[in-house]
Amino acid sequence: MSWAGAGIVVAALVVSVLLGRLVTGLVLRRVQSTPPANGVLRGGTWIGMLERAAITGAVIAGFPEGVAVVLAVKGLGRYPELRESHPDKVSPAAERFIIGTLISYTWAGACAVLGLWALDALG
């Protein structure tokens, strides 16, 4: 891969991770009328940034199955924590978790597609 190609990959990853954090936060603030209270998972921002990097990188590397791996790991690791954090098994953070995940994955996928498009245009 050329230096220009490597630069495109790095740019796609940076936009996916950093700008994705802002986009996800804006969407969550838009759909949630009150600030998050009980039930917000710690580490969510870092997990989101890492998952966007993994998804964008996997798609650009030609391994779209990596998206399923990231989703499975996140779901298995975090959703039980959401359910168990409340006695009635209904977490106020569950909807936020699902919306945030979908926004984050959609953003990462879009960044990967744009990165692939730029690599293809580069030749």
Side-chain angles (χ1 to χ4, degrees), residues 50-75 101 105 108-109 112:
L50 291 170
E51 74 191 10
R52 284 188 297 278
I55 289 169
T56 303
V59 172
I60 289 175
F63 184 64
E65 297 87 354
V67 177
V69 172
V70 173
L71 183 60
V73 168
K74 183 177 183 179
T101 297
Y105 284 28

Side-chain angles (χ1 to χ4, degrees), residues 20-87:
R21 179 179 179 191
L22 296 173
V23 169
T24 303
L26 288 171
V27 170
L28 286 173
R29 278 192 291 276
R30 177 81 173 138
V31 299
Q32 189 172 21
S33 58
T34 60
N38 190 17
V40 174
L41 298 172
R42 293 185 309 146
T45 299
W46 283 102
I47 290 170
M49 292 184 341
L50 291 170
E51 74 191 10
R52 284 188 297 278
I55 289 169
T56 303
V59 172
I60 289 175
F63 184 64
E65 297 87 354
V67 177
V69 172
V70 173
L71 183 60
V73 168
K74 183 177 183 179
L76 291 173
R78 294 297 262 185
Y79 197 73
E81 186 179 344
L82 278 169
R83 288 198 56 199
E84 295 302 321
S85 65
H86 290 80

